[in-house]
């Protein structure tokens, strides 16, 4: 038996046979008096903005606020004015010139301005990072106070990918200065519908 086979056999022998449950977090969670305000402030602090849509459709909002964009894609069924189908290409490479991606989030977190994106209708998860701007659509009732509540909502049963997004891409590595859009979207708006 080679050393490689011996190592692999030892690994196989030592794999736990039962799954270990996550610990219970029976702690009192923070509750914000005004979750909408807290979310807006948290998201603004990382370079994003939040809008609560009242009497207009997502399409109307995009026409009014994102004029003159050539390539608009969507994985959100409620938005119908896309100019290109994000799921049509076999690889994400043709999505490199996307001006605006309208995507759907499962829920938002007031504590830090993050949204949980797990969109099984999106063929290329690279879209979240290639688009120049993101418009993230969330139902108003799906705003939670803290990450503790958020983690309780996360479910990987139907699809194995999900990510938290909080504002546009950014880095603070360069001379301790915050740079927005360093390696991804330069703008992110969370639209509550």
């Amino acid at each position: 038996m080679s050393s490689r086979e011996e190592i692999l056999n030892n690994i196989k022998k030592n794999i736990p046979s039962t799954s270990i449950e996550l610990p219970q977090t029976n702690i009192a969670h923070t509750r914000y008096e005004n979750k909408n305000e807290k979310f807006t402030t948290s998201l603004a602090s990382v370079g994003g903005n939040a809008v609560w849509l009242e009497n207009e459709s997502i399409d109307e909002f995009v026409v009014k606020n994102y004029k003159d964009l050539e390539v608009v894609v969507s994985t959100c069924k409620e938005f119908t004015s896309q100019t290109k189908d994000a799921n049509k290409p076999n690889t994400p490479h043709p999505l490199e010139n996307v001006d605006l991606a309208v995507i759907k989030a499962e829920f938002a977190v007031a504590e830090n301005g993050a949204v949980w994106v797990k969109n099984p209708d999106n063929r290329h998860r690279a879209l979240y990072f290639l688009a120049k701007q993101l418009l993230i659509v969330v139902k108003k009732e799906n705003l939670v106070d803290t990450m503790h509540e958020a983690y309780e909502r996360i479910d990987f049963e139907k699809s194995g990918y999900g990510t938290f997004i909080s504002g546009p891409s950014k880095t603070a590595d360069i001379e301790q200065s915050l740079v927005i859009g360093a390696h991804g979207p330069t703008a992110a708006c969370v639209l509550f519908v």
Side-chain angles (χ1 to χ4, degrees):
M1 177 183 311
S2 71
S3 58
R4 178 182 182 275
E5 290 171 328
E6 186 178 340
I7 290 169
L8 291 174
N9 284 335
N10 285 335
I11 290 171
K12 286 177 188 174
K13 285 182 205 172
N14 291 300
I15 293 175
S17 59
T18 60
S19 62
I20 300 169
E21 289 193 32
L22 294 174
Q24 295 295 318
T25 55
N26 298 325
I27 59 173
H29 303 304
T30 302
R31 298 280 179 234
Y32 296 102
E33 191 174 310
N34 187 333
K35 286 192 284 193
N36 296 4
E37 184 179 302
K38 176 62 178 169
F39 182 87
T40 301
T41 304
S42 297
L43 184 58
S45 74
V46 295
N49 69 310
V51 175
W52 271 260
L53 207 57
E54 292 301 326
N55 296 321
E56 61 184 335
S57 69
I58 300 169
D59 290 75
E60 291 168 332
F61 179 83
V62 170
V63 167
K64 187 168 78 175
N65 294 283
Y66 296 93
K67 295 176 181 147
D68 303 324
L69 296 182
E70 291 181 29
V71 182
V72 178
V73 301
S74 175
T75 60
C76 180
K77 292 175 183 162
E78 294 83 2
F79 178 72
T80 60
S81 300
Q82 66 183 14
T83 62
K84 183 178 188 175
D85 185 350
N87 289 326
K88 190 173 184 177
N90 290 327
T91 69
H93 300 288
L95 301 176
E96 69 182 343
N97 65 343
V98 170
D99 294 311
L100 176 67
V102 181
I103 63 174
K104 196 173 197 173
E106 302 289 316
F107 57 85
V109 186
E111 176 181 41
N112 59 4
V115 294
W116 177 250
V117 177
K118 181 186 140 186
N119 191 338
D121 298 326
N122 181 14
R123 182 176 183 188
H124 304 293
R125 61 184 106 164
L127 173 64
Y128 309 139
F129 313 103
L130 291 174
K132 292 178 184 128
Q133 298 181 65
L134 291 176
L135 179 61
I136 306 167
V137 179
V138 186
K139 289 184 179 177
K140 292 175 185 176
E141 63 269 17
N142 291 339
L143 176 60
V144 299
D145 288 293
T146 66
M147 288 298 284
H148 293 287
E149 290 175 85
Y151 286 132
E152 290 171 6
R153 287 179 165 229
I154 293 173
D155 176 21
F156 285 109
E157 292 299 317
K158 292 181 183 168
S159 70
Y161 178 80
T163 188
F164 281 105
I165 297 175
S166 183
S169 83
K170 55 203 145 296
T171 183
D173 298 343
I174 305 163
E175 296 181 10
Q176 299 178 359
S177 298
L178 181 63
V179 178
I180 302 289
H183 43 71
T186 58
C189 176
V190 177
L191 185 65
F192 286 92
V193 295

